[in-house]
Amino acid sequence: LLVQQRPASELPTSVEGVAQLLGSVWAEVSRGAPAVARGGGGSGMSPTLLRFVVEGGSQCLAALVENVARLAAHLLGTAEAPEADAELVLEEVRDVTAAMDAAAPFGPFVALHDADTLHRDVFQPLSQASAYFKTKREMDALGALVRHPLNSALSNAQRTAMINMVGQQLSARKRQFALRSEVEALAAKVAMTEEEAAQRVAQRAAALLAAAGGMLPVAAHALAAAQLASEVAHGKELDGGPSTDLTPPESTSPKAGASAGGAEGEAKASADESAGTGTTTATTADSAAAARFRSALVALDDVALRVVSHVQRTAAEESRQASIFSRVERTLCRLWHGSTLNLYGSGGSGFGTRGSDMDLCLCVPHEPSEKEVRKALFRMKARISDAGFTNAFAVTGARVPILKFEEPASGTEVDVCVNNVLAVHNTALLRAYSELDPRVKPMGLAVKRWAKVRGINDSTAGTLSSYAWVILVISFLQRVQPPVLPLLQDPLLLRTLEVPRTVVEGHETTSAAAAAHLLAPFGRANRMTVGELLYCFFRYMGRVFRHRDLTVCMKDGHVLHKLLRWDRVKEWRLSVADPFEEGHDLGRVLSEKGCKAIMDEFRRAAQLAEEGRAEEIWTPVDPTKRSGDGFRPVWELRGGQPPPNAQG
């Protein structure tokens, strides 16, 4: 009667008011409600009272729905709510829970009357909004809301959808809070103030200058900072980092055989030892196994370098592309005063292969609009055609509009874009890494070729791009011990070299790429060959790296748990963080089958290297042997036939 005597406009509009009114209403009808919930019969309630409970309760619930919907809209509209809003959000969630406590006894009647509205306007928005909760208190409050008895009003399908959406989020966040403490504990082991870091860099630099008289002081300080930064990053490893242990993977000694072969093996080993032959047999077997394994790694090094020699650009090709670059530069830089032409992509990073096209970026002093870029492409097309290039056409509908054309004498394909500055910075960083150590470029080219012939290097077909493979190689060479490469984006190194901060399109692009030559001696402590490094790379990625839990971070020089790096996580995915675009996971293009194929290929390559069958690592994939086991090369994923170069 309290409700029916009031028009809808006078019903409470605050969550607290709804809670109080529902509580007072329920106090009047609580004695008869259980029987009504069981079916309405024998409750002693008159039809008027029953109608009052259903209709009045629904009107009160409508006010509750309106308030909860407002809360959900607030949450959905602020992906990154200011800290000042955190307490407000938490209090609103608790208020909604309190109102639902009072409304809970009406659950059976709501189920008959308005469950769809409850699901659509309350639980579905809150489920989506749960992605924006950041603190444990907020997650616990939301958990109480999700587990509320009023959820019994929902259908099984609605309840399942809500639990799937919110439950996964709750689980991930709670795991994230636990992991954060683990990471903080690791970071505490290597924590130091800026003053302490500067002091340690100065001490190391003094030692380097004393050991090498001709070294410049700035180079000594840069090298010292890079070494210290690498040690700090290694101290934060969540998986121990790549191992450089080059002992045979399986011992062939009689004792090992005994432990694996049961009582008979133990008895035989014991008999051998009692006869005085156990030690001799074990030593001989281990020596033979070690010799075979060393020979296998030498063969792997030889095969890898031969592969590289067949795919890397020749001096003539480099010279021809330099000539093309000069012609394009003279032609296009006249269009804008102060503009510059830059080579980016694999051709500019040092990881380009024979026959690959040229990617060029025309950087202009101002930021042109999309309309200006389209006009510029057509002006550039006319100039390029007049300069003797052929087949020129503009692609204006792409995310990055480009002008495509060919150099007729060589058939080289050229793509030109305007102001893709982030890609230029990225290329400069990769090129600096490729020139720091003579093993970097061969290893990157060997891995790219392996990925190509094994059908796992096409982002459009559910596998990784060539760029992602290069990032994986560089990250491995940063983390192997002793490290081959420094961290060119480490804050300690940047402070030591006083590198000015640069931001492009909202992304931090500061790096020590321009001063990388000062760090040339960095990797000399690691004396491994390309073949040995390749084996350790395949073994680590295939058998040690926990790709379901961890993300590869080249920028930081160590791996990080996915839940601490990404808002939304797919456990099966191999995650590779872009060094400049913070929110970009290069592994997001992977399909589940493509990821499985990649992990299987890592293990296959390591196994073949151990068995001395290095030639087979770069054998083109046979599609007929991949049916049913998760292997699917790119042409099979596209539903086509293998290209000619995949036939062996």
Side-chain angles (χ1 to χ4, degrees):
L1 294 177
L2 290 173
V3 175
Q4 286 186 325
Q5 290 172 357
R6 302 182 185 183
S9 60
E10 295 181 9
L11 287 175
T13 56
S14 69
V15 176
E16 295 87 350
V18 173
Q20 292 171 3
L21 181 58
L22 285 173
S24 62
V25 170
W26 181 246
E28 299 295 327
V29 298
S30 59
R31 287 178 295 177
V36 176
R38 290 192 297 269
S43 66
M45 279 191 178
S46 67
T48 302
L49 182 57
L50 180 58
R51 183 170 57 84
F52 150 69
V53 171
V54 175
E55 294 181 0
S58 295
Q59 288 180 9
C60 291
L61 187 65
L64 170 65
V65 165
E66 181 183 345
N67 281 277
V68 176
R70 177 177 54 82
L71 167 64
H74 166 72
L75 295 176
L76 288 169
T78 54
E80 292 295 338
E83 289 299 321
D85 288 350
E87 287 297 324
L88 175 63
V89 170
L90 182 59
E91 285 187 17
E92 289 197 59
V93 171
R94 286 173 174 166
D95 289 343
V96 171
T97 306
M100 292 181 70
D101 286 341
F106 288 97
F109 310 119
V110 174
L112 297 173
H113 187 77
D114 214 12
D116 289 337
T117 300
L118 182 71
H119 177 253
R120 183 186 69 245
D121 293 339
V122 180
F123 289 114
Q124 197 170 43
L126 278 177
S127 300
Q128 296 169 350
S130 66
Y132 302 129
F133 284 94
K134 302 297 183 185
T135 69
K136 188 175 186 301
R137 285 195 305 162
E138 289 167 353
M139 295 309 299
D140 289 343
L142 182 62
L145 194 62
V146 169
R147 293 187 293 271
H148 202 279
L150 194 61
N151 297 346
S152 61
L154 304 178
S155 68
N156 287 336
Q158 291 169 337
R159 192 159 47 247
T160 300
M162 179 188 67
I163 291 173
N164 285 344
M165 196 176 297
V166 179
Q168 292 176 4
Q169 189 70 27
L170 284 168
S171 174
R173 292 294 180 183
K174 286 183 177 179
R175 288 172 60 198
Q176 183 174 11
F177 293 126
L179 284 163
R180 186 168 289 136
S181 61
E182 176 186 352
V183 173
E184 288 172 354
L186 287 171
K189 296 179 182 178
V190 292
M192 67 183 83
T193 65
E194 285 192 25
E195 292 76 12
E196 291 171 334
Q199 185 178 6
R200 292 173 65 175
V201 167
Q203 291 171 348
R204 290 189 180 213
L208 288 170
L209 286 170
M215 183 178 290
L216 293 173
V218 64
H221 279 79
L223 192 57
Q227 291 171 347
L228 183 58
S230 179
E231 292 172 13
V232 169
H234 185 67
K236 295 179 182 177
E237 288 285 8
L238 292 177
D239 65 350
S243 171
T244 53
D245 180 16
L246 295 179
T247 57
E250 294 181 5
S251 175
T252 55
S253 67
K255 283 187 177 181
S259 63
E264 286 186 21
E266 290 179 4
K268 185 178 184 304
S270 178
D272 286 344
E273 289 181 1
S274 64
T277 62
T279 302
T280 303
T281 304
T283 302
T284 304
D286 286 348
S287 298
R292 286 195 300 272
F293 188 57
R294 284 195 299 271
S295 297
L297 294 183
V298 170
L300 176 59
D301 187 62
D302 179 64
V303 172
L305 293 179
R306 280 193 281 120
V307 167
V308 170
S309 69
H310 282 94
V311 300
Q312 69 182 355
R313 291 178 172 174
T314 63
E317 188 173 5
E318 293 282 0
S319 176
R320 182 169 59 250
Q321 292 210 358
S323 175
I324 295 173
F325 179 88
S326 297
R327 287 177 58 194
V328 176
E329 185 178 37
R330 288 194 303 269
T331 303
L332 297 183
C333 286
R334 297 172 183 172
L335 292 174
W336 278 285
H337 178 70
S339 61
T340 59
L341 190 68
N342 298 273
L343 182 65
Y344 75 97
S346 61
S349 67
F351 295 100
T353 55
R354 292 185 188 179
S356 57
D357 59 4
M358 293 180 66
D359 296 310
L360 305 177
C361 176
L362 186 66
C363 295
V364 300
H366 69 287
E367 186 62 37
S369 65
E370 292 184 10
K371 185 176 181 180
E372 288 177 322
V373 169
R374 287 194 294 270
K375 286 184 177 180
L377 289 178
F378 288 110
R379 289 174 60 198
M380 290 160 58
K381 175 185 174 183
R383 289 290 186 94
I384 283 294
S385 299
D386 292 342
F389 294 98
T390 59
N391 299 329
F393 64 95
V395 182
T396 58
R399 185 177 68 88
V400 179
I402 58 174
L403 173 68
K404 301 177 73 73
F405 56 91
E406 290 183 10
E407 197 280 321
S410 62
T412 302
E413 296 181 357
V414 184
D415 296 345
V416 182
C417 62
V418 178
N419 269 23
N420 190 5
V421 183
L422 191 62
V424 174
H425 280 268
N426 199 309
T427 300
L429 179 64
L430 297 189
R431 186 170 193 86
Y433 276 122
S434 74
E435 295 175 346
L436 265 170
D437 189 278
R439 294 164 290 184
V440 178
K441 192 180 297 185
M443 188 168 171
L445 292 173
V447 169
K448 281 182 63 176
R449 180 60 180 173
W450 163 77
K452 181 176 183 179
V453 299
R454 299 304 298 173
I456 52 173
N457 79 321
D458 191 335
S459 58
T460 64
T463 58
L464 290 176
S465 65
S466 295
Y467 170 61
W469 283 113
V470 171
I471 297 297
L472 279 175
V473 169
I474 292 175
S475 176
F476 169 81
L477 295 176
Q478 291 172 330
R479 299 171 55 228
V480 71
Q481 291 298 312
V484 175
L485 291 175
L487 316 179
L488 293 182
Q489 294 171 279
D490 185 82
L492 177 60
L493 177 61
L494 299 178
R495 285 198 305 270
T496 302
L497 290 172
E498 298 181 350
V499 178
R501 184 171 182 259
T502 57
V503 178
V504 175
E505 299 173 14
H507 301 291
E508 178 81 39
T509 59
T510 313
S511 77
H517 60 281
L518 299 174
L519 307 174
F522 181 86
R524 290 180 184 174
N526 187 311
R527 299 182 179 277
M528 299 174 73
T529 65
V530 171
E532 291 168 343
L533 288 169
L534 271 174
Y535 167 67
C536 291
F537 173 73
F538 291 137
R539 180 183 62 185
Y540 169 71
M541 293 301 302
R543 299 174 183 171
V544 180
F545 180 66
R546 307 198 316 268
H547 78 281
R548 290 183 172 273
D549 300 321
L550 304 177
T551 294
V552 175
C553 300
M554 186 188 90
K555 179 179 180 179
D556 302 318
H558 59 86
V559 295
L560 188 64
H561 202 286
K562 289 180 179 179
L563 290 172
L564 299 177
R565 186 66 176 79
W566 314 110
D567 286 335
R568 302 188 183 278
V569 172
K570 289 188 177 179
E571 287 193 351
W572 54 263
R573 177 189 291 167
L574 173 60
S575 289
V576 185
D578 188 278
F580 286 149
E581 296 186 59
E582 284 293 320
H584 185 199
D585 180 4
L586 299 174
R588 69 182 180 182
V589 299
L590 289 173
S591 66
E592 193 164 358
K593 288 184 177 180
C595 186
K596 182 183 184 304
I598 288 172
M599 300 311 296
D600 286 344
E601 285 292 346
F602 279 133
R603 290 186 281 271
R604 171 187 176 273
Q607 183 70 28
L608 291 175
E610 291 165 355
E611 295 173 359
R613 298 157 60 192
E615 294 276 1
E616 297 178 41
I617 293 175
W618 285 273
T619 300
V621 68
D622 182 356
T624 63
K625 294 183 179 180
R626 286 197 165 179
S627 57
D629 64 355
F631 280 112
R632 298 191 73 192
V634 293
W635 50 84
E636 186 179 337
L637 287 166
R638 288 171 170 169
Q641 297 298 318
N645 66 349
Q647 301 288 2

